[in-house]
């Protein structure tokens, strides 16, 4: 054992891992060979962690303590004082600094021998060559949009070689509830296949936002939906851009003061705009442990990995449930069929767009719509928006035929949603 572990006490602190890595167990593959080769493969596996917030901090710590030595982390956020109650790698003196950089330095200091490379920026700033270097990707995100983007990137990278397939391990928490899932792009159900499990938030009536706001959230939504459209029409709102969030916060705060409403803060504005649900530290710890456990199993083959979805609930008691989420043939990312959608031919195109935003399997915010024959409506290009605006008040039956396919794109995503519209009889 001494020879296998390196000279002397070099692996003494990893003896709990070596109990798993140096001998076969009841669930190991018959052809699996324990020992130094497996240890070396674990240590040289390059892992990308997306997000360094509440869940990401836990994931970085768990990966480092699980024997991974080459970790990269990407996050564009800076540390806010509100993060300190649950994002345990940060201290008061770190407020205003990069989450990715501070988290990396903290873990490197506490776990000797691990190398963590931070990137302070958006995932969209990196191309396929960047993501191709990693053994797998682990997401600890608070944004459905970001999950959909990285999922589309990894599915699109899959080619003829085994190395092009990068497993995606995704964790998410909502209060006392959470989930962990393992995705093999193009092989198993992907993020987009499972999108209907992330229900969009309930809409607030526009009349409430415009005339009688009663809660700080109403003021924030007013700034988001009405003020932005009136004062910055043509600018695409980026919910990850601090300048955009600051602008919305200042507008919401001014409106709240006009109606004697308290409670509008920068962090609350960010939470409402990005649909962030307050996190519970213990839930983050449990879901992060599950994600890192799956990463360890994939990297070492010591046990079968999750197939493919685990749900956790800790509000009433402690409950977990695992199941296989099925791959969908009509998935816009990993499938090849259009999704059937029943519509009322009497709906206007404007009403149809509103309903797209509400549907769990779509969740688009500023869609462009086209058929094979014509363009129905384009929001992303100002000149085309003016040319196609008149279609908004036309009925669907005037614009498309029963059974015709409509392609829906959104600037936030790289892929196209395809729906086959079936008129109600």
């Amino acid at each position: 054992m001494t020879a296998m572990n390196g000279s002397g006490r070099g692996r003494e602190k990893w003896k709990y891992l070596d109990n798993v890595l140096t001998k076969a167990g009841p669930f190991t593959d018959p052809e699996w060979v324990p020992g130094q080769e497996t240890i070396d493969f674990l240590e040289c596996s390059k892992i990308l962690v997306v997000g360094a917030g509440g869940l990401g901090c836990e994931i970085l710590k768990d990966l480092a303590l699980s024997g991974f030595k080459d970790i990269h982390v990407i996050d564009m956020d800076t540390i806010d004082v509100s993060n300190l109650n649950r994002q345990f790698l940060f201290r008061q003196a770190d407020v205003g600094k990069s989450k990715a950089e501070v988290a990396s330095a903290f873990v490197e200091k506490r776990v000797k021998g691990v190398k963590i490379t931070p990137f302070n920026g958006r995932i969209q700033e990196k191309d396929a060559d960047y993501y191709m270097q990693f053994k797998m990707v682990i997401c600890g995100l608070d944004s459905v949009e970001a999950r959909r983007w990285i999922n589309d990137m990894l599915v699109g990278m899959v080619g003829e070689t085994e190395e092009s397939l990068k497993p995606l391990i995704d964790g998410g928490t909502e209060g006392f509830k959470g989930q962990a899932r393992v995705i093999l792009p193009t092989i198993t159900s992907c993020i987009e296949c499972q999108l209907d499990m992330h229900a969009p938030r309930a809409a607030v009536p526009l009349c409430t936002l415009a005339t009688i706001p009663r809660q700080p959230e109403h003021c924030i939504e007013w700034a988001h939906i009405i003020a932005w459209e009136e004062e910055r029409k043509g600018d695409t709102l980026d919910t990850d851009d601090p300048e955009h969030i600051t602008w919305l916060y200042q507008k919401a705060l001014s409106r709240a003061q006009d109606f004697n409403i308290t409670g509008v803060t920068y962090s609350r504005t960010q939470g409402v705009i990005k649909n962030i649900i307050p996190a519970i530290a213990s839930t983050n710890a449990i879901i992060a442990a599950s994600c890192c456990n799956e990463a360890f199993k994939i990297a070492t083959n010591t046990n079968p990995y999750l197939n493919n979805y685990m749900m956790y609930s800790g509000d009433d008691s402690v409950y977990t449930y695992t199941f296989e989420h099925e791959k969908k043939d009509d998935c816009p990312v990993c499938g090849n069929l259009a999704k059937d959608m029943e519509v009322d031919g009497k709906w206007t195109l404007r009403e149809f767009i509103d309903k797209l935003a509400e549907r769990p399997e779509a969740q688009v915010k500023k869609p462009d719509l086209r058929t094979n024959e014509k363009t129905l409506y384009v929001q992303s290009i100002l000149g085309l928006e003016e040319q196609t605006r008149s279609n908004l008040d036309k009925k669907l039956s005037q614009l498309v035929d029963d059974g015709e396919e409509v392609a829906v794109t959104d600037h936030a995503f790289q892929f196209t949603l395809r729906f086959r519209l079936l008129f109600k009889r």
Side-chain angles (χ1 to χ4, degrees):
M1 178 71 75
T2 300
M4 182 181 295
N5 290 347
S7 59
R9 297 171 57 84
R11 287 195 59 83
E12 182 65 24
K13 67 178 180 179
W14 303 110
K15 61 182 180 180
Y16 63 95
L17 280 178
D18 289 343
N19 288 333
V20 177
L21 298 174
T22 59
K23 54 187 177 183
F27 298 106
T28 53
D29 191 282
E31 298 181 359
W32 180 73
V33 179
Q36 191 62 45
E37 183 178 346
T38 300
I39 293 172
D40 291 343
F41 190 81
L42 172 66
E43 293 183 348
C44 71
S45 293
K46 187 181 291 188
I47 308 297
L48 175 64
V49 177
V50 183
L55 193 55
C57 284
E58 292 280 356
I59 290 172
L60 288 172
K61 177 259 295 180
D62 289 349
L63 286 176
L65 293 174
S66 297
F68 291 95
K69 297 289 186 69
D70 191 358
I71 305 169
H72 290 236
V73 58
I74 182 169
D75 195 304
M76 68 162 295
D77 283 346
T78 55
I79 299 164
D80 184 78
V81 68
S82 64
N83 302 144
L84 302 181
N85 70 326
R86 64 191 182 279
Q87 298 178 18
F88 66 97
L89 299 182
F90 309 140
R91 302 293 183 265
Q92 182 73 40
D94 298 324
V95 171
K97 298 179 182 178
S98 161
K99 285 186 176 181
E101 293 173 2
V102 173
S104 299
F106 193 105
V107 176
E108 282 186 340
K109 182 179 179 181
R110 293 295 294 270
V111 185
K112 302 300 181 183
V114 65
K115 173 63 177 175
I116 304 181
T117 304
F119 174 71
N120 182 33
R122 304 172 66 227
I123 56 176
Q124 293 87 348
E125 295 176 34
K126 298 295 188 180
D127 59 14
D129 290 339
Y130 173 80
Y131 294 106
M132 192 65 76
Q133 67 181 302
F134 300 106
K135 172 72 175 178
M136 68 188 84
V137 177
I138 306 178
C139 288
L141 292 162
D142 56 16
S143 165
V144 174
E145 288 81 4
R147 284 188 177 94
R148 295 175 76 178
W149 191 93
I150 193 68
N151 174 73
D152 181 56
M153 170 61 77
L154 296 182
V155 171
M157 283 167 42
V158 177
E160 296 180 358
T161 63
E162 184 178 342
E163 290 74 20
S164 67
L165 192 152
K166 310 297 179 182
L168 172 62
I169 302 172
D170 177 64
T173 65
E174 294 183 353
F176 287 102
K177 297 179 181 180
Q179 87 279 334
R181 46 190 168 177
V182 174
I183 294 166
L184 303 180
T186 72
I187 296 176
T188 65
S189 167
C190 74
I191 295 285
E192 205 67 27
C193 292
Q194 305 167 15
L195 188 62
D196 53 4
M197 300 187 72
H198 296 270
R201 63 185 174 191
V204 179
L206 281 176
C207 58
T208 298
L209 301 181
T211 58
I212 48 170
R214 298 183 297 274
Q215 302 172 10
E217 289 79 6
H218 293 167
C219 300
I220 296 168
E221 288 285 20
W222 172 85
H224 178 203
I225 296 173
I226 298 176
W228 183 276
E229 188 67 19
E230 290 178 351
E231 300 183 33
R232 301 189 63 164
K233 187 175 180 65
D235 288 350
T236 300
L237 176 62
D238 183 351
T239 58
D240 289 325
D241 189 330
E243 187 273 323
H244 288 189
I245 297 296
T246 299
W247 189 92
L248 294 172
Y249 160 62
Q250 292 171 345
K251 288 293 179 181
L253 181 62
S254 176
R255 184 164 179 81
Q257 292 170 345
D258 291 342
F259 287 87
N260 296 318
I261 297 172
T262 60
V264 174
T265 63
Y266 181 89
S267 59
R268 176 171 280 179
T269 301
Q270 190 177 41
V272 170
I273 299 304
K274 298 180 69 175
N275 198 19
I276 298 173
I277 296 173
I280 306 297
S282 57
T283 310
N284 284 338
I286 291 168
I287 297 303
S290 176
C291 290
C292 294
N293 189 36
E294 297 307 321
F296 181 82
K297 290 188 289 185
I298 291 174
T300 63
N301 290 317
T302 50
N303 278 274
Y305 51 80
L306 177 68
N307 183 30
N308 50 26
Y309 204 112
M310 185 277 288
M311 300 177 64
Y312 164 80
S313 177
D315 48 2
D316 235 357
S317 57
V318 176
Y319 172 76
T320 63
Y321 176 68
T322 61
F323 64 96
E324 180 181 359
H325 195 289
E326 294 185 357
K327 191 172 184 287
K328 295 182 177 178
D329 291 335
D330 58 6
C331 172
V333 174
C334 68
N336 53 16
L337 299 177
K339 180 182 288 292
D340 288 345
M341 178 185 292
E342 189 177 59
V343 298
D344 190 331
K346 297 179 182 179
W347 290 349
T348 63
L349 184 62
R350 188 190 308 274
E351 290 174 322
F352 175 66
I353 291 174
D354 289 341
K355 294 181 185 299
L356 277 178
E358 299 169 1
R359 292 183 70 95
E361 73 273 30
Q363 300 189 42
V364 289
K365 295 181 178 179
K366 283 196 168 185
D368 297 337
L369 295 90
R370 298 176 175 85
T371 67
N372 289 331
E373 304 295 331
K374 58 189 173 184
T375 298
L376 300 180
Y377 183 60
V378 175
Q379 301 187 62
S380 57
I381 303 173
L382 186 59
L384 288 178
E385 195 281 330
E386 293 173 351
Q387 294 178 29
T388 57
R389 190 182 302 161
S390 60
N391 285 340
L392 289 175
D393 295 319
K394 294 181 180 178
K395 295 179 180 178
L396 287 180
S397 58
Q398 297 175 276
L399 298 170
V400 298
D401 296 327
D402 186 15
E404 189 171 5
E405 284 190 17
V406 173
V408 180
T409 57
D410 191 297
H411 74 278
F413 314 115
Q414 303 178 91
F415 55 87
T416 300
L417 297 163
R418 292 163 53 217
F419 294 101
R420 191 163 70 100
L421 303 189
L422 305 175
F423 292 163
K424 293 179 180 179
R425 302 299 182 186

